[in-house]
Amino acid sequence: MDESHERRETEAYETDAVVSLSGVTKKYSGGVTALREVDLEIGRSELIAIVGPSGSGKSTLLHIVGTLDGPSSGTVALAGHQVSRLSDRRLSALRAQHVGFVFQAFHLVPGATALANVVEGLRYSGLSHGERRRRAAEALERVGLGDRMEHRPHELSGGQKQRVAIARAVAGEPDVLLADEPTGALDSASGEAVMDLLRELNADGATIAVITHDMELAASLPRQVRLRDGQIVADTRAEAAPHAGTAGAR
Ligand code: ADP
Ligand code: MG
């Protein structure tokens, strides 16, 4: 690592963390404590795996990082904003501006074209309809679906649906892309293609957190945060990520 890179990383840690969680605990009604005293910083342009067995708190963590849910205690900052200080309206605006979500089951609007799905994702962007269409088309080109814009979800393969979902998530140029088991519903070849796309977006500067129970997939990413019973038990950075060939999921 050269000096300028090192300096930039140090500054990023202090002032430029996209996500900063401190002492985050989440108790659900019914008595489950899903997260315990979690501290986590995600720096700009990181590609990180949040990995752990089923029930370890991964989705809960994603919901809290993405401001879909709040912690029972502890603090959450997103792109420098202390989330707990915001009204619901400001929080929705913050989320729309700063976070992109990708889910295992795609969550596309069934009757709408790929283009319309991505345009819809820009609904709260404040952009004109024409500009939203332009950006949506550009995002679909970027994920390799320039020739599928008028296709509806049932006319697309699983991998293509996930690429539409990724286009929708990145069209607004969020500060962080949160992907919850993005390859979980895909065959291994489509899963690898989706992971390759996430790597490309990261290489272009996107900050991405991939949630997975797949240790092999996690090991192929530059940083792994391991969760167990709601606690971070390891936070490791690979010297050099292994080749992407193992990134498949069932
Ligand atoms: P993971 O994504 O790692 O499988 P989750 O974050 O979904 O884990 O769940 C962590 C724990 O919290 C589990 O024990 C789960 O049963 C519980 N849990 C998740 N969501 C809720 C909820 N809405 N209400 C009550 N308990 C929940
Ligand atoms: Mg989950």
Side-chain angles (χ1 to χ4, degrees):
M1 193 185 290
D2 67 45
E3 260 177 47
S4 62
H5 188 219
E6 203 165 279
R7 189 170 61 245
R8 191 168 58 74
E9 280 213 336
T10 311
E11 284 169 5
Y13 183 80
E14 285 303 317
T15 63
D16 209 23
V18 179
V19 169
S20 180
L21 267 53
S22 178
V24 164
T25 292
K26 178 66 180 180
K27 293 180 182 165
Y28 285 114
S29 53
V32 175
T33 300
L35 295 175
R36 296 163 202 272
E37 296 285 326
V38 166
D39 297 321
L40 176 67
E41 300 241 352
I42 304 177
R44 211 158 280 281
S45 299
E46 278 205 273
L47 173 55
I48 132 172
I50 295 170
V51 65
S54 178
S56 57
K58 304 183 297 295
S59 293
T60 300
L61 182 60
L62 175 125
H63 285 127
I64 289 177
V65 168
T67 76
L68 294 171
D69 201 358
S72 307
S73 58
T75 60
V76 178
L78 182 63
H81 302 268
Q82 284 295 334
V83 166
S84 61
R85 300 209 189 117
L86 302 176
S87 65
D88 283 356
R89 245 185 77 170
R90 299 255 334 264
L91 198 55
S92 302
L94 183 83
R95 191 185 308 128
Q97 192 186 345
H98 296 288
V99 192
F101 293 96
V102 172
F103 298 100
Q104 175 171 349
F106 321 127
H107 294 199
L108 299 178
V109 178
T113 64
L115 185 64
N117 266 281
V118 180
V119 170
E120 174 63 22
L122 292 169
R123 181 182 215 163
Y124 302 103
S125 62
L127 300 167
S128 70
H129 186 70
E131 180 63 13
R132 280 186 280 150
R133 275 183 73 90
R134 197 188 64 71
R135 291 213 189 178
E138 200 176 271
L140 283 165
E141 296 279 359
R142 198 171 171 200
V143 302
L145 291 178
D147 56 351
R148 293 290 188 277
M149 299 210 198
E150 298 303 323
H151 286 235
R152 291 163 210 278
H154 72 274
E155 298 161 338
L156 297 169
S157 71
Q160 289 171 335
K161 279 185 246 196
Q162 196 59 300
R163 284 193 275 150
V164 173
I166 292 169
R168 179 181 56 189
V170 300
E173 301 187 343
D175 289 271
V176 62
L177 177 63
L178 303 174
D180 196 351
E181 306 274 5
T183 64
L186 303 177
D187 62 82
S188 60
S190 313
E192 272 178 41
V194 160
M195 287 310 300
D196 285 345
L197 172 60
L198 293 178
R199 284 190 186 86
E200 269 170 44
L201 294 169
N202 173 250
D204 289 344
T207 307
I208 304 179
V210 177
I211 282 179
T212 181
H213 64 275
D214 183 334
M215 294 292 295
E216 233 180 326
L217 189 159
S220 75
L221 301 185
R223 177 180 171 198
Q224 296 96 37
V225 170
R226 279 210 217 175
L227 273 184
R228 178 171 291 273
D229 296 333
Q231 286 182 304
I232 293 180
V233 294
D235 186 345
T236 51
R237 282 165 213 271
E239 293 293 312
H243 187 264
T246 56
R250 281 168 303 121

